[in-house]
Amino acid sequence: MLKPQNDQRLAGSAPTGHPLIMKFQDITAEMLPMVGGKAMNLGVLTRAGLPVPPGLCLTTEAYRRVAADAGLTDVLAALERTAPDETAALAGLAGRARALVLAAPVPDDIARAVRQSAAGAVAVRSSATAEDLPDASFAGQQDTYLNVVGPDAVLDAVRRCWASLWTDRAVAYRAANGIDHGAVHLAVVIQRMVQSEVAGVMFTANPVTGRRRETVINAAPGLGEAVVSGAVNPDHFVVSPSKTITKRNLGDKLLAVRSIAGGGTEQVRQEARDGACVTDQQVVALAKLGAQVEAHYGSPQDIEWAIDSAGTLWLTQARPITTLYPLAEGADGLRVYLCVSLAQGLHRPITPMGISVFRALGTSLTGLYGLPSDRRPAGTVPMAEPGMRVFGDVTGILRSRFGRAFFPRVLDVMEARSAVVLRGLFDDPRLSLTQRSPMPALRRVARLAVRYRIPVRVAQALARPQSVKRRIAGMGDRLRERLALAPDATATRRLDHVEHCLRSEIVPMLPEIAPGPAAGFLMLGLASRLLRGRTKPGELQTVLRGLPHNVTTEMDLALWHAATRIRADEDSARALSGPARPEGPLPPVLRKELAEFLSRYGHRAVAEIDLGMPRWSDDPSHVLGVLANYLRLDDPALAPDAQFARGAREADAMVDRLARRAGGLRGRIVRFALRRTRELAGYRETPKYYVIITLAEMRKHVAAVGHELAERGLLEAADDVFMLSLPEARAALGGTDQGNLVKARRATYARELRRRHVPRVLLSDGTEPEAVGAAPPAEGALTGTAASPGTVTGTARVVLDPVGAHLEPGEILVTPSTDPGWTPLFLTAGGLVMEMGGANSHGAVVAREYGIPAVVGVAHATARITTGQKITVDGTTGAVILDEPSD
C-alpha cells in the first residue's frame, strides 16, 4: 500500500524549492514540466473523481539533479548533429547516455524519499515531459515496471526509468518528431498495483476509421501489459456512440501476464478460450467510462484500464489519440469532404497564405456559377482546411442526382480512388438525394457555356486546331499585362492587387482556355465509343504519348537540352558531379543555362499550387539537382527527347492502326478524332500553367509585404508572412501583433509535415470512408486485423529479433510481435505485418503514428512469408497478399 508523505523533510523541497514528491490529487494540468505527461493525466483524472489507483509522482526535479551529475553535455551536442535516419549513430549515443545516467549517484534525500514513498506492490512508471501529449503520444517509449515489491526494488526501478529516457527507441522517436533531447525530462509514477483479472486498452474514437465517439476496446485476462505489448490476440469490441456493441472478434488469448508473489511478473501460457473475457455489461461500462474521460479532456483518448477480482474498474492511464486526422471545423450535420490537395498530388500541408488563396479562388468559383458565396446549393464546393490541407465540401454534389452522375466520372480520370470512395457513399441513408432533378445544375452549366461561348470554341478548336494556340498566346499576353503593378507600390496596394487578381483574373480565364483541350478529350471519347470491342488494353492510352503543346513536357525538354550543353563544358559538368547545389560561383556556362531556364520557368516549383512555397527562381537547388541527374544518364535511348520522339512515333502509328482496324467511314472518323486528340489534348496543362504564373507574381507581392513588415519590426522574418492569411497580413500592416500566431502556425506546419497519412475523403465525424467501406480481402490472401490504414507493396523482411536486425528503406517488416524495442525499425519500414496483437497494441499504435500500413494478428505470418518476397499490405482491409516466394 502506498504511503503518501506530508513530511517536508522527506517529500518536501529540493534545493531549488521544487517538491520531490507529489500526490496525484495535488497534480494539475499546468504541472507538465514538473510531473510529465503520464503523471499529469493521472492527476487530472484523480481530481475529476474518476477511478484511478492512488499514487505519487517523483518529480522531474529528481531527474534534473541526477542528470546534471551524469555528464550528458557531450552526448546532447552529438545528438544535435545527428540526423533522424542515422539510426546506428543514434543508438550508439543513446547507449552512452543510458550508461551515464545509470552510473550517476542518487542524492540521499531523493533515495530516502523514494524508499519511504511506497510499501506493498506498486507499479513504477516513467512520465516524460514529452509524453502523452496532443501532438505525440510517445506510447511505450520509456519503461514501466509492474508489481515492484520492496523499497530497494522501487529505487532500482526508478533509476531504470530515468535511464529509459535514453533507450534507442525513445531517442529515435524524439529525433523523428523533431523534439529537443535536452529539453525532455523524466518524472516517475509510483502507483498502487492493480492485480487485474482482465485488462486492456480502449480508444474513444476508432483509430483505424477515424470515426469519433465510436469506442474500440481490446481485452485479455491478466495484466494489461499483454495487450499493450501485442503479445496476445485479445478480444476486440467496437461500441457505437449509443453504447451498443456493433462488432466483436474473440481472440484466442493464449498468453497472460500475471504477478509473481514477492515481486515481478511472468508470462503464462493458457488454453484457448471460446468465450469473451469480459461481459457485455463490462464492455458497455468501459465505453461509458471512456466517454466520461473524453468529455473531461474534450478530445478522443487512448486509455489503459483494468478490472480487479472484485469487479472494480480502474483507469491506469489516459492520453490523447495523436494519430486521428483533424476534424473539419464548423461542419453542420454530416458533411463529405474531398481532399483537393491530394487530388493535385500534394501530400504536404499548405501554408496559411496558400490556403487563403484557395479560399479566394473558391469565392471566385462560386461567383462563376452566378451564386452568392454564402449559399450552399447542390453543386457548389465550399472549403475546409483540417490538417492544413484543402478539402472541398462535396456534400451537395453527392445529394444531387446530376452530381452523382457527373462528378465521379470526372474523378475517374483525375483521382480514381476518390471516385470509388465517393460512389461507396451513395447508399448511406444520411446522404440521401435532396436534388433529384438535374435541371438546376444543367441550367447553371448552360449559362456558363453561353457566357463563355464554350460550344463555339470547341467547334473552332476542332475545325482549326491552330486557333487554340493563338488564343492561348493572346491570353498569356493579356494576363501578364493585368498582373503588372508599379514597382514602388505600397504594401497595402500590393495586397489589394493580389486580392483583385485572385478574384477576377484566374477563374474567369479557365473557361476561355479549357475548350481546346476539352475538345481533344471529347474526340478521344468519341473514338473510344467507335472502337468499342476493337481495342486491346492500353492501345488508346498509347495515342496520348508524346503529345505536342504540353507546357510541362516542353519545360522538361528545355532542361534536358540545357543539360546536354552543360555536359559539353568540362567545368560545368564537374560542378554538378558533386552536391546538388554547387558551392561558390557557378561556372559561366552553367550560370548562363540556369539563368535562361529560370527566365522561362522560374515561376514553377515543387508544391507550386501553394503560394507560400518558394519558386525555382527563389531557390534553384531542385533544378540543379535534376541537371545533375540528367548528366548521370549515359544511355542515349533513355534521354528525355529520345523517349518523347519515340512516344510520338508510336502514337502516330497507333492512330493509323486503329483507323485501319475500324475500316470504312468509321475508320475515317476514328482517324480524324484521334488526330484532333493529339493536336489538342496537350493543352490540358495550360490552364494550370497560367494559374501558376499568376501565383508566382502574387507571391512576389506578398513577399514584398513580408519584407516591409519585417523591416518595421512587425514580423521576425519576412517569410513569416506566408504563415498568415491575406486578411491577417493586412491586419499586421495596421499594427496587429501576429508574432504568437506565426509561431503557433509554424509549429503546426512542422507537425503536419511529418504526417504520413492524409485521407482522400473525410466525413465531418472524422470517418475515413476508404477505411470503412473497403472491399473484402482478395481470395488467398493472409488476413488479420486492420491496424493502420493504407496500402503498400514492397519486399518483405522477416525479423524475429530486433537486435542487429537490418531493414532497407521501404521494406515491409514481418514479425511475430513487437514491443517498444522494435521502434527504430519503424523509421524505415514501408509497412508492418505482425502475427500477434490487436488494433490497439503497441505495434499498431506506432505504425499509425508513422503512417505506415499495418496488419496485425496474422496467423503464421513469419512462416508463410519469406524475406525477399514481394507482398502487398492492405492496412484498411486487414489483408496481406503474397506473390510467389523469392528464390
Side-chain angles (χ1 to χ4, degrees):
M1 182 173 179
L2 290 170
K3 298 189 293 185
Q5 302 292 333
N6 294 320
D7 182 356
Q8 283 295 310
R9 179 179 53 79
L10 169 65
S13 298
T16 60
H18 296 304
L20 287 175
I21 298 287
M22 295 192 70
K23 294 179 288 187
F24 284 175
Q25 56 264 40
D26 296 329
I27 295 173
T28 67
E30 293 73 36
M31 296 181 177
L32 176 67
M34 187 184 300
V35 300
K38 186 179 281 90
M40 179 194 72
N41 283 323
L42 290 171
V44 168
L45 293 170
T46 299
R47 291 169 68 88
L50 293 163
V52 177
L56 311 167
C57 176
L58 177 67
T59 67
T60 55
E61 180 60 29
Y63 172 80
R64 291 174 193 271
R65 289 171 57 191
V66 171
D69 294 333
L72 294 171
T73 304
D74 291 343
V75 174
L76 289 172
L79 284 170
E80 287 186 9
R81 300 190 298 268
T82 306
D85 58 354
E86 297 180 63
T87 53
L90 288 173
L93 292 169
R96 285 175 55 191
R98 282 197 306 278
L100 290 170
V101 173
L102 285 171
V106 180
D108 291 343
D109 60 330
I110 296 176
R112 186 170 61 251
V114 171
R115 286 193 175 99
Q116 297 184 12
S117 289
V122 296
V124 180
R125 313 169 72 189
S126 303
S127 181
T129 53
E131 178 180 68
D132 296 353
L133 306 178
D135 297 342
S137 74
F138 274 72
Q141 299 308 307
Q142 284 82 42
D143 287 346
T144 288
Y145 298 91
L146 301 177
N147 198 41
V148 183
V149 178
D152 290 340
V154 172
L155 179 59
D156 181 65
V158 167
R159 294 174 66 112
R160 293 181 183 280
C161 282
W162 286 335
S164 74
L165 189 64
W166 299 99
T167 59
D168 294 1
R169 62 184 181 267
V171 169
Y173 191 98
R174 289 196 295 270
N177 284 277
I179 296 172
D180 182 0
H181 299 280
V184 180
H185 304 287
L186 196 86
V188 180
V189 167
I190 304 172
Q191 185 178 24
R192 192 189 79 191
M193 183 70 193
V194 177
Q195 303 297 350
S196 56
E197 290 296 311
V198 62
V201 293
M202 169 169 55
F203 281 62
T204 65
N206 193 313
V208 175
T209 68
R211 182 173 293 163
R212 304 310 199 261
R213 300 195 305 121
E214 183 174 74
T215 308
V216 178
I217 298 170
N218 280 1
L223 305 180
E225 174 64 19
V227 179
V228 173
S229 66
V232 65
N233 283 326
D235 292 340
H236 176 80
F237 303 89
V238 178
V239 184
S240 70
S242 62
K243 302 302 176 277
T244 300
I245 299 174
T246 58
K247 182 179 181 181
R248 69 178 76 229
N249 291 329
L250 302 185
D252 52 32
K253 304 178 287 294
L254 293 176
L255 182 144
V257 176
R258 302 282 186 183
S259 294
I260 302 173
T265 63
E266 63 178 350
Q267 293 188 350
V268 179
R269 304 292 299 182
Q270 55 192 20
E271 294 296 325
R273 299 188 179 190
D274 293 333
C277 61
V278 286
T279 66
D280 285 3
Q281 291 82 0
Q282 288 173 322
V283 170
V284 172
L286 278 166
K288 290 180 178 178
L289 183 59
Q292 286 182 259
V293 176
E294 178 176 319
H296 185 74
Y297 280 102
S299 63
Q301 296 292 303
D302 169 4
I303 298 167
E304 295 180 20
W305 56 270
I307 299 175
D308 63 20
S309 57
T312 303
L313 200 165
W314 297 98
L315 299 175
T316 57
Q317 185 167 316
R319 54 178 170 244
I321 303 176
T322 60
T323 57
L324 295 173
Y325 199 81
L327 293 174
E329 296 181 1
D332 181 17
L334 182 70
R335 312 297 299 181
V336 182
Y337 296 96
L338 174 71
C339 188
V340 178
S341 304
L342 281 182
Q344 288 291 317
L346 183 59
H347 185 276
R348 64 180 295 136
I350 297 179
T351 62
M353 185 60 71
I355 290 174
S356 185
V357 167
F358 270 93
R359 281 214 163 272
L361 294 176
T363 300
S364 184
L365 271 171
T366 305
L368 185 64
Y369 277 85
L371 298 167
S373 60
D374 60 345
R375 291 176 58 192
R376 306 180 78 169
T380 61
V381 188
M383 272 180 50
E385 308 97 36
M388 299 186 85
R389 276 86 177 176
V390 174
F391 285 76
D393 185 344
V394 296
T395 312
I397 291 175
L398 294 189
R399 306 196 76 169
S400 157
R401 188 181 299 278
F402 179 81
R404 289 188 178 189
F406 177 73
F407 189 62
R409 292 186 182 181
V410 175
L411 290 180
D412 283 336
V413 179
M414 298 171 52
E415 180 28 57
R417 287 180 64 184
S418 296
V420 172
V421 175
L422 291 180
R423 287 190 177 101
L425 295 173
F426 289 175
D427 294 330
D428 191 324
R430 299 171 298 174
L431 296 169
S432 59
L433 289 172
T434 57
Q435 181 57 265
R436 296 183 178 276
S437 172
M439 293 311 298
L442 290 174
R443 283 194 292 268
R444 284 195 298 273
V445 172
R447 285 197 299 268
L448 185 66
V450 171
R451 178 179 175 183
Y452 288 97
R453 302 176 63 240
I454 290 176
V456 173
R457 286 175 176 160
V458 168
Q460 288 174 341
L462 294 175
R464 299 189 303 277
Q466 64 275 16
S467 67
V468 176
K469 185 173 185 177
R470 290 195 299 270
R471 176 178 296 279
I472 287 176
M475 178 70 66
D477 293 339
R478 293 194 301 274
L479 178 64
R480 290 179 178 86
E481 291 176 3
R482 294 169 182 169
L483 296 180
L485 186 67
D488 59 350
T490 65
T492 299
R493 176 72 184 94
R494 289 181 186 277
L495 289 183
D496 290 341
H497 182 64
V498 168
E499 292 180 345
H500 167 76
C501 290
L502 294 175
R503 184 174 59 250
S504 304
E505 298 297 342
I506 294 181
V507 172
M509 171 182 64
L510 300 181
E512 300 229 10
I513 300 175
F521 284 102
L522 284 173
M523 290 296 98
L524 182 65
L526 173 62
S528 177
R529 280 183 171 275
L530 294 174
L531 290 166
R532 185 170 294 170
R534 293 178 169 88
T535 59
K536 300 174 184 178
E539 286 187 327
L540 276 176
Q541 292 301 314
T542 300
V543 174
L544 299 177
R545 295 193 61 192
L547 288 174
H549 314 306
N550 185 318
V551 289
T552 302
T553 303
E554 290 169 356
M555 178 187 70
D556 294 338
L557 292 177
L559 192 58
W560 168 252
H561 293 145
T564 59
R565 292 187 289 270
I566 290 169
R567 188 195 299 272
D569 180 72
E570 185 176 343
D571 291 341
S572 297
R574 187 185 306 112
L576 290 175
S577 64
R581 180 69 190 265
E583 297 181 2
L586 299 179
V589 172
L590 176 56
R591 184 169 63 248
K592 172 180 175 292
E593 294 294 340
L594 179 64
E596 289 184 359
F597 178 80
L598 293 178
S599 69
R600 293 179 59 192
Y601 299 107
H603 60 278
R604 308 218 72 163
V606 177
E608 60 191 2
I609 63 171
D610 181 358
L611 184 140
M613 292 297 294
R615 309 290 115 170
W616 288 340
S617 56
D618 301 322
D619 180 4
S621 297
H622 177 73
V623 177
L624 290 169
V626 175
L627 285 169
N629 287 332
Y630 279 167
L631 294 187
R632 299 186 187 103
L633 191 61
D634 296 326
D635 186 350
L638 297 179
D641 53 355
Q643 293 195 65
F644 180 83
R646 184 165 54 251
R649 289 194 300 271
E650 292 173 358
D652 290 337
M654 182 59 67
V655 170
D656 291 337
R657 187 178 307 133
L658 293 176
R660 287 196 304 270
R661 189 180 300 167
L665 176 62
R666 182 189 297 265
R668 290 194 292 275
I669 297 174
V670 166
R671 189 185 305 276
F672 172 83
L674 292 181
R675 284 180 174 175
R676 285 297 184 263
T677 295
R678 289 197 50 76
E679 290 173 305
L680 297 171
Y683 290 112
R684 64 186 174 184
E685 294 288 315
T686 305
K688 182 180 178 182
Y689 182 78
Y690 282 156
V691 169
I692 299 306
I693 287 176
T694 304
L695 293 183
E697 288 300 310
M698 298 306 99
R699 177 181 164 83
K700 293 177 183 177
H701 296 305
V702 173
V705 173
H707 281 291
E708 178 171 326
L709 289 170
E711 289 173 357
R712 291 168 54 186
L714 297 172
L715 291 177
E716 287 189 11
D719 65 351
D720 283 350
V721 72
F722 297 110
M723 288 292 130
L724 301 174
S725 66
L726 285 167
E728 289 162 353
R730 193 179 292 277
L733 286 174
T736 300
D737 183 1
Q738 306 284 27
N740 291 334
L741 179 61
V742 167
K743 289 179 181 177
R745 294 259 178 84
R746 284 203 178 279
T748 302
Y749 187 79
R751 182 175 69 248
E752 289 298 328
L753 277 172
R754 296 191 295 271
R755 187 181 295 279
R756 297 278 293 274
H757 173 69
V758 178
R760 280 173 165 75
V761 178
L762 182 69
L763 303 189
S764 54
D765 66 357
T767 302
E768 295 185 30
E770 191 171 12
V772 175
E779 183 178 353
L782 301 181
T783 58
T785 299
S788 182
T791 303
V792 62
T793 298
T795 302
R797 172 77 63 173
V798 179
V799 179
L800 304 180
D801 185 343
V803 178
H806 179 74
L807 195 71
E808 289 291 334
E811 286 187 330
I812 296 170
L813 176 63
V814 182
T815 175
S817 63
T818 65
D819 65 12
W822 293 74
T823 299
L825 293 176
F826 283 55
L827 289 173
T828 55
L832 172 69
V833 178
M834 277 191 348
E835 290 183 335
M836 309 300 290
N840 298 332
S841 62
H842 172 76
V845 170
V846 177
R848 286 193 292 269
E849 290 226 8
Y850 285 129
I852 60 175
V855 180
V856 301
V858 181
H860 313 299
T862 57
R864 296 190 58 185
I865 300 172
T866 60
T867 294
Q869 184 176 6
K870 179 172 277 191
I871 66 174
T872 297
V873 177
D874 191 334
T876 301
T877 66
V880 181
I881 302 170
L882 313 183
D883 282 0
E884 289 300 316
S886 170
D887 294 334

